[in-house]
């Protein structure tokens, strides 16, 4: 009989070390490949830029001077005493005889480009080339805001000073609301969880002590982690039939309540402007998949959603008509954007907000309308 081979503890340790090194090298290689071929948008964790607000929920902090990268490039974020974004190197001695108020969400906040390249600045630059008075933009955009906050911000600003024009950017991807709020509780800064030893083996304690700190750390730094997380969430949704399509693009929602609720917020905005005798324009801001429909229909195919159930121009037609019938000015650049999109991409490759060409296109499209209004 052969004697049983004895297990050498040194071999076990060596094999475990080799396996661990192989796993680490594989993850490192995966991270490098994802960064090169499929870079992801990392989570922003900068509590210096935004702050809670008792009226607006949250807003940008005053006197910010930070750099930020949402995945496209590093840009400077500079704000004035009111927390409104301004150029990093503002022109000294410039007189603002005509001022335009801009309201909107992250597409106006524009963390993807320098402030000089945003559509408010480009629009005023075009106006200043034609007209003698100096036109200036007041950019109040904040990521995550919706029409309720546009109204509240307009109420504050129109009481504070006189404006020659108000431009409201309505992002067709998520600006349709279920409730018009005039009271928004302050939103607290993102809580940063610190890695620590768990006090017990309960699921909640393990998540707080271990998983959340690791997830937050990797979400802000690892492209591979974000890609894997998105893939798991996508296939989980697909298996459970939980694919999410924005309701404003579903044909079945052509008479949904959110149209009227959003219209009500816009009416309140228009009434504010009317009381101050200030002209106002609602400018639709399209999504990347409205401009390049192949992106959306590829997603529908992958998710198993019937193409016949969606209409990418539904919000443009329904809400555009509602605003016009209410006597409000509407600018819809979607056809123009589709033509511009043939010249080059208007959105970031990683962060799907406007790039420099996207902002230039908004300014080019809205300029004739704005110019005619200011001549009246």
């Amino acid at each position: 009989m052969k004697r049983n081979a004895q297990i050498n503890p040194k071999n076990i340790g060596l094999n475990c070390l080799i396996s661990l090194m192989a796993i680490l090298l594989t993850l490192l290689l995966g991270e490098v490949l994802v960064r090169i071929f499929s870079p992801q948008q990392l989570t922003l964790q900068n509590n210096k830029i935004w702050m809670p607000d008792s009226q607006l929920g949250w807003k940008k902090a005053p006197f910010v001077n930070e750099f930020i990268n949402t995945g496209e490039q590093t840009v400077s974020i500079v704000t004035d005493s009111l927390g409104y974004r301004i150029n990093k190197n503002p022109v000294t001695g410039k007189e603002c005889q005509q001022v335009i108020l801009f309201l909107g969400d992250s597409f106006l906040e524009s963390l993807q480009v320098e402030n000089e390249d945003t559509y408010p600045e480009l629009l005023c630059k075009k106006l200043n080339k034609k007209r003698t008075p100096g036109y200036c933009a007041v950019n109040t955009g904040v990521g995550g805001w919706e029409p309720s906050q546009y109204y509240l911000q307009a109420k504050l600003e129109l009481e504070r000073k006189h404006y020659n024009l108000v431009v409201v950017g309505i992002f067709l991807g998520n600006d349709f609301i279920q409730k018009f709020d005039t009271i928004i509780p302050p939103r607290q800064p993102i809580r940063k969880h610190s890695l620590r030893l768990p006090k017990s083996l309960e699921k909640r304690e393990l998540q707080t002590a271990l998983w959340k700190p690791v997830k937050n750390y990797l979400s802000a730094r690892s492209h591979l982690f974000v890609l894997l997380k998105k893939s798991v969430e996508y296939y989980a949704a697909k298996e459970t039939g939980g694919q999410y399509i924005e309701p404003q693009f579903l044909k079945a929602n052509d008479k949904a309540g959110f149209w009227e609720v959003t219209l009500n917020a816009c009416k309140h905005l228009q009434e504010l402007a009317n009381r101050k005798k200030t002209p106002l324009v609602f400018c639709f801001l399209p999504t990347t998949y409205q401009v390049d429909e192949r992106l959306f229909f590829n997603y529908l195919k992958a998710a198993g959603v019937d193409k016949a159930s969606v209409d990418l121009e539904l919000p443009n037609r329904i809400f555009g008509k509602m605003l016009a019938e209410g006597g409000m000015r509407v600018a819809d650049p979607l056809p123009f954007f589709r033509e511009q999109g043939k010249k080059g991409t208007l959105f970031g490759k990683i962060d799907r907000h406007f790039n420099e060409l996207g902002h230039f296109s908004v300014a080019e499209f809205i300029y004739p309308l704005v110019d005619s209004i200011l001549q009246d």
Side-chain angles (χ1 to χ4, degrees):
M1 292 180 61
K2 293 182 179 181
R3 292 190 305 173
N4 293 331
Q6 292 184 347
I7 299 176
N8 190 337
K10 293 183 178 181
N11 291 338
I12 295 177
L14 181 61
N15 289 336
C16 289
L17 180 61
I18 292 173
S19 299
L20 179 61
M21 291 180 63
I23 292 172
L24 292 175
L25 287 173
T26 301
L27 291 174
L28 179 61
L29 178 61
E31 179 69 29
V32 172
L33 292 175
V34 172
R35 288 184 180 228
I36 295 174
F37 297 106
S38 183
Q40 303 296 302
Q41 185 174 359
L42 303 179
T43 302
L44 294 176
Q45 294 183 349
N46 191 328
N47 287 329
K48 296 180 181 178
I49 297 178
W50 301 274
M51 60 182 286
D53 185 80
S54 59
Q55 293 176 293
L56 299 162
W58 66 97
K59 64 179 183 180
K60 286 200 293 300
F63 303 116
V64 169
N65 191 349
E66 294 284 320
F67 289 96
I68 200 166
N69 192 326
T70 65
E72 298 298 326
Q73 60 181 333
T74 299
V75 301
S76 57
I77 305 297
V78 182
T79 63
D80 61 14
S81 61
L82 296 173
Y84 303 151
R85 193 175 178 192
I86 58 175
N87 295 339
K88 184 178 180 181
N89 298 305
V91 179
T92 57
K94 179 182 177 181
E95 291 187 14
C96 296
Q97 299 180 27
Q98 308 285 327
V99 189
I100 303 176
L101 174 64
F102 290 85
L103 304 165
D105 62 1
S106 56
F107 274 78
L108 175 60
E109 187 176 44
S110 307
L111 302 181
Q112 301 70 33
V113 300
E114 293 292 340
N115 192 59
E116 293 87 339
D117 296 320
T118 62
Y119 69 83
E121 291 294 322
L122 295 174
L123 177 61
C124 288
K125 187 177 180 180
K126 286 180 67 68
L127 290 169
N128 286 330
K129 283 184 177 180
K130 178 180 179 181
R131 299 165 175 268
T132 301
Y135 282 86
C136 295
V138 173
N139 182 342
T140 66
V142 175
W145 274 13
E146 59 182 31
S148 297
Q149 282 142 318
Y150 306 164
Y151 165 76
L152 294 172
Q153 179 68 82
K155 190 175 181 180
L156 291 171
E157 274 304 304
L158 292 177
E159 288 295 329
R160 188 178 72 87
K161 64 181 294 183
H162 169 72
Y163 284 93
N164 299 89
L165 176 67
V166 178
V167 178
V168 185
I170 300 293
F171 176 53
L172 299 179
N174 60 16
D175 260 349
F176 297 97
I177 55 177
Q178 300 288 349
K179 182 182 178 183
F180 175 42
D181 289 314
T182 55
I183 299 176
I184 301 176
R187 187 177 75 175
Q188 298 305 313
I190 299 173
R191 181 185 175 189
K192 294 184 178 181
H193 297 273
S194 300
L195 186 66
R196 58 178 173 80
L197 291 174
K199 299 175 182 178
S200 69
L201 296 179
E202 294 182 1
K203 181 180 178 180
R204 185 173 180 178
E205 172 61 13
L206 292 173
Q207 288 180 334
T208 302
L210 301 176
W211 170 239
K212 287 184 179 179
V214 171
K215 183 183 73 170
N216 291 343
Y217 181 87
L218 293 176
S219 295
R221 294 169 177 83
S222 172
H223 292 249
L224 176 62
F225 177 81
V226 173
L227 178 63
L228 293 174
K229 182 172 176 287
K230 285 168 59 178
S231 300
V232 170
E233 291 172 349
Y234 170 78
Y235 285 108
K238 185 175 180 181
E239 290 297 318
T240 59
Q243 309 94 319
Y244 181 75
I245 305 296
E246 287 86 352
Q248 61 269 24
F249 296 114
L250 293 173
K251 294 179 180 179
N253 289 329
D254 60 342
K255 293 181 174 60
F258 56 77
W259 303 112
E260 286 290 343
V261 176
T262 310
L263 178 66
N264 184 38
C266 293
K267 284 181 177 178
H268 277 73
L269 267 165
Q270 186 67 62
E271 290 169 1
L272 276 177
N274 290 344
R275 287 199 293 270
K276 295 295 181 179
K277 297 182 180 180
T278 304
L280 182 147
V281 174
F282 292 97
C283 180
F284 289 166
L285 303 177
T287 67
T288 180
Y289 46 80
Q290 282 183 295
V291 177
D292 185 356
E293 294 176 281
R294 292 173 300 174
L295 294 175
F296 193 62
F297 292 134
N298 286 341
Y299 170 77
L300 294 181
K301 183 178 179 181
V305 177
D306 184 8
K307 179 180 175 180
S309 66
V310 300
D311 182 350
L312 288 178
E313 297 181 15
L314 192 66
N316 303 70
R317 289 198 308 273
I318 291 181
F319 201 61
K321 181 180 179 182
M322 294 174 80
L323 290 174
E325 289 178 345
M328 290 170 264
R329 294 186 182 91
V330 185
D332 183 3
L334 181 57
F336 180 74
F337 258 59
R338 286 176 175 170
E339 286 300 314
Q340 289 289 96
K342 297 176 183 178
K343 302 176 184 179
T345 179
L346 309 178
F347 300 82
K349 294 180 180 179
I350 303 171
D351 184 316
R352 293 300 188 175
H353 289 81
F354 295 144
N355 59 18
E356 285 86 350
L357 182 57
H359 282 279
F360 173 83
S361 299
V362 176
E364 283 289 303
F365 177 80
I366 200 175
Y367 170 74
L369 174 60
V370 169
D371 186 47
S372 65
I373 292 172
L374 293 174
Q375 285 180 356
D376 293 343

